[in-house]
Amino acid sequence: MPLPGDYESRQIATPNEITLTLSMDKAPEPIHSSTDQKRKCYAIIPAAGRSHRMGTSKLLLPWPSPKRPNGLVIEQVIEAWTRSNVAKTIIVIRKKDKSGVIEACKNLPAHIVFADEPPDMKASIQAGLKYIIKHKNPSPNDSFLIA
């Protein structure tokens, strides 16, 4: 286990040819020059689960707020990411989703990525990363967050 001041960086190759570099050193320095490219951050919401343990989709549970008295968890999550100024919020949903998550997300400010029956959350995250790589052309300084 690294101690404060120890630095570790490693590359992880995922089964679908996405290579991630994880670093446990200090965060990248912020970009200050107006001529430099602005650092972007993308939010990936893995929502392709089958809800076996709970029996219903967690994202469709009620979560009222002053703005949305009949709000759902997914609405609050996407709204929070949108307010955080991420470059794009991506929600990964199974193509054959019957829970209602697709319908709940249609009018929200997030891009829906459909995944073919991902076996686990890792596969859902990989689908979101593939979308970012293919459609957003991320720079090496860009980052992603998992919601």
Side-chain angles (χ1 to χ4, degrees), residues 75-89:
E75 293 169 333
Q76 303 296 2
V77 169
I78 290 175
E79 186 176 313
W81 280 117
T82 303
R83 278 191 316 236
S84 75
N85 294 320
V86 294
K88 190 63 155 175
T89 302

Side-chain angles (χ1 to χ4, degrees), residues 6-141:
D6 290 346
Y7 302 115
E8 178 182 330
S9 182
R10 55 193 151 143
Q11 296 235 334
I12 297 174
T14 62
N16 294 324
E17 299 180 19
I18 297 173
T19 301
L20 306 174
T21 301
L22 300 179
S23 180
M24 294 178 62
D25 61 357
K26 63 183 181 182
E29 294 296 321
I31 299 172
H32 297 290
S33 170
S34 61
T35 60
D36 287 337
Q37 180 182 8
K38 183 180 176 188
R39 186 183 327 268
K40 294 181 197 134
C41 185
Y42 300 93
I44 300 173
I45 303 170
R50 291 181 186 84
S51 305
H52 288 300
R53 290 178 294 179
M54 206 163 163
T56 186
S57 174
K58 290 178 278 216
L59 296 174
L60 297 177
L61 292 174
W63 188 358
S65 71
K67 185 176 178 182
R68 291 191 167 109
N70 297 319
L72 303 173
V73 169
I74 189 60
E75 293 169 333
Q76 303 296 2
V77 169
I78 290 175
E79 186 176 313
W81 280 117
T82 303
R83 278 191 316 236
S84 75
N85 294 320
V86 294
K88 190 63 155 175
T89 302
I90 295 131
I91 182 163
V92 181
I93 302 173
R94 278 182 295 115
K95 282 184 181 178
K96 297 177 181 179
D97 178 77
K98 304 233 187 298
S99 70
V101 174
I102 296 170
E103 190 64 34
C105 293
K106 281 186 178 176
N107 296 316
L108 297 174
H111 183 81
I112 298 173
V113 172
F114 292 102
D116 288 319
E117 299 299 317
D120 53 25
M121 190 182 303
K122 177 181 173 183
S124 296
I125 294 167
Q126 287 173 329
L129 289 170
K130 283 181 184 180
Y131 172 83
I132 292 168
I133 291 166
K134 184 175 180 180
H135 298 283
K136 298 299 176 185
N137 194 26
S139 79
N141 288 326

